[in-house]
Amino acid sequence: MVARLYMGVALASAATLVVQVALTRVFALVHWHHFAFVAVGLGLLGYGISGTALAVWPRLRRAPLETAAAAAVLVAPATGLALVAIATVPFDAYLMLLEPLQALYLAILVAALSLPFLCGGLVVGSLLTGRPAGAGGVYAASFVGAAAGALAAIPLISARGGAGALLVGGTIAACGGALLWWSARPTRASPVIAALAAAMLATWASAARFDLPLSAYKTLSQVRRYPDAQVVFSGWNAVSRVDVVRSSAVRSAPGLSTVYAGAPPALPGLLIDGEGLRGLPAEAEGAFTEYLPTAVAYRLRRGPTLIIGTGVEVLGALRHGAPTVTVIEENPLVADALRRVLEPGSQADVLSRHVRLLIAHPRTFLARNTQRFTIIQVPPLDSFQVVASGAFSLAEHYLYTVEAFTAYLRRLAPGGILVVTRWIQTPPSEEVRVWAAAVAAVEKVGDPDRRLAALRSLNTMTILVAPDGLRRADVETLRAFAISRHFDLTYAPGGSAAESNRFNTLPADRHREAFLAVLDTGRRDAFLREYPFDVRPVHDDRPFFFHFFRWRQVPGTLAVLGRTWQPFGGGGFLVLLVLLVIVTALGAGLILLPLGRLRTTPHPTQARAPGPEVAWRRWSVFAYFAALGFAYLFVEIPLLQQAILLVGSPTHAAGVVLSGLLLASGAGSVLTARAQVRLPAALAALATAVGGLAWALPALVARALDLTAASRLAAAAVILGPIGVLMGVPFPAAVRLLGQYDARLIPWAWGINGCASVVASVLAALVSLQWGFRTVLALAAIAYAGAGAVRGLGTGAGQRGPDPRSEAEA
């Protein structure tokens, strides 16, 4: 019976992780990165609601095993309902602050999408409440199952798509419910198991491909409206959904000169999660690439070329006779799409003979590969987005950090050139940030004044970095190319203000002003501090390239709401602030709601009339479990975001970090059930370990980049294992102590932990955006230390281990 119980808990927990990871992918496709992030909060919110429900409705606690079984079975229809809500509720993220009705639509979505996690939370919460002596075993089974679910989500999404993975996750939970029902009612299990087997087959049959409705503002939604648009490829993997559209209107030529006489050729358009339209290299001739700003690199140098990402830049390298062209593409599905849309016998043969396409994360390739390149190109792989929208401000971009620029320069051959292109913004922002990162990297090898140059077209800024310096002849070539193509030479050694604003004229040349200020060490700090946007260079510890928010922007943003086109209210950061207020209010309500119905009764050995000490113990429970909720997420989220650099995608990072932490935490939970654990000592050790990780994390990540994939996973296990074991100790140990004092406080504690985790997930993102991952980890260490300092939870907490018979009886 115990084995079936633990297996049922593990399957239900695995299902909730599958649903959560799949939901992040669905949100990223249907809406935006902001709402993929919300999926984490929804999962934790469901767990918080389950704790409140258990505390408020005693009947849920009377038969904990039956409650757990029913809740696990209900995960399946709840996921179906969630998918229907995503497909039918007309929620429009762009209109959130303009149409009050959107608040109702959002509330309906949140309610529907929280249901699977509410059911999953009831599975674990009801068993913890009814069997506090066996908390270690139940919690361990939950952790192990969740770890397996985090890993299983990756192949499930690849095989069934985001919607299919959601439905399959519900079916896995139903299987866990059948095992729990078998444990509770062994003689009545056969009909339930047969019905669930039929439901599972039906789910797998119906979950093949579900056409999710995209936001009307997604690029793919707009491209589909072209008269001759045809989607020629569409596929899922754990990284993204990839679509390729053919249309006579799909053309890609970033920064094309105004003197080009013709029109750029129609190319197959590649989109990642419905965004970032870029042309695939499907034209063998590519004459138009001679009129792109990046063509100047081949006027200056000729040699082995490295290009980050598949696009028209490949045509440019072939057109200009690069002897070898290496293309790094981190998404294998992009390479698959390219092979499928190119017709054999034409461009496919040209690419196969002259282009080496490698599947790898650019940063790990640069760290491990020893080859040197004469030209390295970093093109704009995303579509133009107005910075004020904040549409990508929450996304991590490790291609534009100072550490990334340092890695590019290390892989340049003697005399080589790095070419980075970004979109022009008004006022200048992303182009200034790239320039600042280039200056910071070049300053490590010498004076940047003679090692940098920049060309401005109508809509792009192309920055050239030559670590060995630009010769006089190079500058003259740059100047001649700019004049012939009507590009403005924003900066070049010895360049003048006149040639910086002669063709694509602006009322004030703010680009040159900003670039010169960043180059001037005497003015740089004051300029960056006083600039309207935050354009300081980003680092691996804070890789949010599109996060330009400053607090002084808020009045202006609020003043133009409804008058200008500013999706998401003018910035992704403001979305997080609004979300923080909402989840804090929800969490406070869920935590306070049960207080009126809780009537604590002291442990028989401490029998006395309820009084001030009881109230103190209630707030001790609140402080302790809230601190644990904050601390766990404050460790998990920065590690997950840093792991993207090591493994290449958010989904794979989630699989690695979540499975590693949860599996190790499961081992820690078993430890509390089997061995003597001193809770204050464990919390002190945990706070010390997390604080040490905050200090050492950047160096650890940098050292791991040049390892093989298997070695990186092993290194992650070494880092995550000990900390994860310690993180699995405090919660079940405290639940056991509450069971000795008053078991009716356990569901409240479960809800507190879940609600605090919801707030922590949003707050961790805010802190990461503003101050970096190390700060979040440092706050986690403080939270664990604070939990260790809480008094009143139990005298001598954790001084002795449990009676081994208690676990067996549970």
Side-chain angles (χ1 to χ4, degrees):
M1 171 182 169
V2 174
R4 290 196 298 269
L5 185 150
Y6 288 161
M7 181 58 72
V9 171
L11 285 173
S13 298
T16 57
L17 258 293
V18 169
V19 171
Q20 188 176 70
V21 175
L23 199 55
T24 63
R25 294 296 324 126
V26 169
F27 272 176
L29 174 66
V30 174
H31 294 292
W32 306 87
H33 188 86
H34 302 77
F35 301 97
F37 173 82
V38 170
V40 177
L42 284 172
L44 299 169
L45 179 63
Y47 272 59
I49 296 172
S50 71
T52 300
L54 287 166
V56 171
W57 287 296
R59 68 175 59 185
L60 293 175
R61 308 196 299 267
R62 289 172 188 161
L65 197 50
E66 286 85 345
T67 298
V73 171
L74 287 173
V75 172
T79 55
L81 180 62
L83 194 56
V84 169
I86 292 172
T88 59
V89 175
F91 172 63
D92 190 330
Y94 272 45
L95 300 178
M96 278 195 302
L97 298 179
L98 301 178
E99 290 186 358
L101 190 59
Q102 293 301 323
L104 174 62
Y105 293 148
L106 181 58
I108 294 172
L109 270 179
V110 169
L113 298 175
S114 297
L115 283 177
F117 306 108
L118 166 60
C119 296
L122 284 173
V123 174
V124 180
S126 61
L127 293 176
L128 289 176
T129 301
R131 299 164 175 263
V138 171
Y139 212 51
S142 174
F143 272 130
V144 172
L151 289 177
I154 296 174
L156 278 176
I157 294 172
S158 297
R160 313 299 292 178
L166 278 174
L167 296 176
V168 172
T171 305
I172 294 171
C175 293
L179 287 175
L180 291 170
W181 186 258
W182 189 6
S183 300
R185 296 284 186 268
T187 59
R188 303 178 186 177
S190 299
V192 175
I193 294 174
L196 286 175
M200 182 170 65
L201 291 175
T203 300
W204 277 84
S206 63
R209 296 289 174 187
F210 188 91
D211 191 16
L212 292 164
L214 274 64
S215 166
Y217 308 102
K218 284 269 188 172
T219 303
L220 179 57
S221 299
Q222 298 168 24
V223 170
R224 279 174 168 172
R225 297 192 180 105
Y226 296 162
D228 60 345
Q230 180 183 8
V231 178
V232 296
F233 175 87
S234 184
W236 279 90
N237 65 1
V239 178
S240 65
R241 195 181 91 173
V242 172
D243 295 274
V244 178
V245 181
R246 282 191 180 273
S247 170
S248 58
V250 176
R251 303 169 189 270
S252 178
L256 184 67
S257 169
T258 56
V259 303
Y260 182 63
L267 301 172
L270 177 82
L271 300 106
I272 307 293
D273 285 338
E275 278 296 307
L277 180 64
R278 50 176 151 139
L280 291 176
E283 288 291 327
E285 200 269 333
F288 73 98
T289 62
E290 295 186 15
Y291 291 81
L292 298 179
T294 51
V296 72
Y298 301 98
R299 301 285 185 95
L300 297 172
R301 304 287 187 270
R302 191 69 56 86
T305 299
L306 173 68
I307 302 175
I308 308 300
T310 309
V312 295
E313 293 74 21
V314 177
L315 296 179
L318 295 175
R319 173 74 179 183
H320 292 91
T324 63
V325 180
T326 301
V327 178
I328 303 299
E329 183 58 63
E330 58 184 300
N331 190 340
L333 196 55
V334 172
D336 188 33
L338 180 63
R339 286 191 294 267
R340 294 196 187 189
V341 301
L342 295 181
E343 296 182 3
S346 57
Q347 184 65 9
D349 294 337
V350 174
L351 293 178
S352 64
R353 289 196 306 270
H354 298 286
V355 177
R356 183 173 62 139
L357 180 60
L358 302 179
I359 307 301
H361 191 280
R363 292 290 301 280
T364 55
F365 172 83
L366 292 167
R368 300 195 66 233
N369 190 276
T370 57
Q371 182 181 356
R372 293 184 178 273
F373 301 91
T374 303
I375 297 173
I376 297 178
Q377 284 195 59
V378 185
L381 299 178
D382 42 64
S383 303
F384 172 79
Q385 293 286 337
V386 178
V387 164
S389 75
F392 292 101
S393 62
L394 306 185
E396 306 86 356
H397 288 79
Y398 288 100
L399 296 182
Y400 301 108
T401 65
V402 173
E403 291 84 354
F405 273 81
T406 302
Y408 298 140
L409 299 186
R410 271 202 296 261
R411 285 290 156 256
L412 284 175
I417 293 180
L418 168 66
V419 185
V420 183
T421 300
R422 287 305 311 169
W423 303 106
I424 291 288
Q425 297 285 350
T426 304
S429 51
E430 60 179 89
E431 59 269 48
V432 180
R433 175 163 277 175
V434 169
W435 179 263
V439 170
V442 169
E443 283 181 332
K444 299 176 182 179
V445 298
D447 181 8
D449 288 3
R450 305 209 52 85
R451 291 174 168 83
L452 293 168
L455 282 174
R456 178 169 60 87
S457 71
L458 186 64
N459 61 355
T460 63
M461 179 70 73
T462 296
I463 294 171
L464 307 174
V465 186
D468 292 337
L470 291 168
R471 302 182 294 268
R472 185 186 299 272
D474 295 333
V475 175
E476 292 305 318
T477 300
L478 269 170
R479 184 172 285 115
F481 178 82
I483 293 172
S484 67
R485 299 295 188 257
H486 284 196
F487 295 138
D488 295 298
L489 196 59
T490 297
Y491 178 82
S496 66
E499 57 189 341
S500 175
N501 196 27
R502 70 164 67 172
F503 298 113
N504 305 287
T505 56
L506 300 170
D509 192 357
R510 295 185 178 179
H511 295 89
R512 180 175 175 81
E513 294 171 5
F515 284 20
L516 291 176
V518 172
L519 279 173
D520 187 342
T521 56
R523 289 196 293 151
R524 181 186 307 162
D525 291 343
F527 170 80
L528 294 175
R529 185 171 57 252
E530 296 168 3
Y531 200 71
F533 292 152
D534 182 1
V535 292
R536 293 172 297 167
V538 293
H539 293 264
D540 286 349
D541 182 57
R542 185 175 167 264
F544 304 101
F545 177 75
F546 290 100
H547 178 60
F548 300 98
F549 178 83
R550 288 193 188 277
W551 284 103
R552 56 177 176 262
Q553 293 175 232
V554 174
T557 299
L558 297 178
V560 298
L561 277 180
R563 302 178 184 176
T564 62
W565 181 248
Q566 290 196 37
F568 308 119
F573 194 80
L574 294 183
V575 172
L576 276 183
L577 290 175
V578 173
L579 185 60
L580 179 63
V581 172
I582 293 172
V583 298
T584 302
L586 281 173
L590 292 171
I591 290 170
L592 294 174
L593 180 63
L595 280 179
R597 311 198 70 176
L598 285 174
R599 295 291 183 267
T600 58
T601 302
H603 191 272
T605 60
Q606 302 171 341
R608 69 187 69 177
E613 183 179 351
V614 172
W616 169 240
R617 287 180 182 276
R618 286 187 191 175
W619 289 109
S620 298
V621 169
F622 168 79
Y624 180 85
F625 285 96
L628 292 189
F630 274 96
Y632 202 102
L633 266 293
F634 274 26
V635 173
E636 179 184 295
I637 287 181
L639 290 181
L640 192 154
Q641 291 177 298
Q642 281 275 263
I644 295 172
L645 178 58
L646 296 178
V647 300
S649 80
T651 308
H652 288 95
V656 170
V657 172
L658 292 180
S659 61
L661 273 183
L662 294 171
L663 191 61
S665 295
S669 298
V670 171
L671 181 66
T672 65
R674 303 293 181 186
Q676 293 186 354
V677 176
R678 295 178 61 87
L679 190 51
L683 285 164
L686 184 52
T688 303
V690 173
L693 182 61
W695 173 77
L697 186 62
L700 292 173
V701 171
R703 293 291 297 272
L705 278 175
D706 62 353
L707 300 176
T708 63
S711 298
R712 291 198 300 274
L713 291 177
V718 170
I719 295 171
L720 297 174
I723 288 179
V725 169
L726 289 171
M727 290 168 67
V729 170
F731 187 92
V735 167
R736 184 178 299 110
L737 290 168
L738 277 182
Q740 296 170 7
Y741 173 67
D742 187 347
R744 282 176 291 181
L745 285 174
I746 294 175
W748 189 52
W750 175 249
I752 290 169
N753 187 261
C755 292
S757 297
V758 178
V759 177
S761 66
V762 181
L763 193 58
L766 284 168
V767 176
S768 297
L769 282 168
Q770 290 296 98
W771 297 289
F773 302 137
R774 296 174 71 182
T775 302
V776 182
L777 286 170
L779 291 174
I782 293 171
Y784 276 124
V790 171
R791 298 169 52 199
L793 186 63
T795 303
Q799 298 292 326
R800 58 183 178 85
D803 184 345
R805 292 173 296 177
S806 299
E807 187 75 13
E809 291 169 0

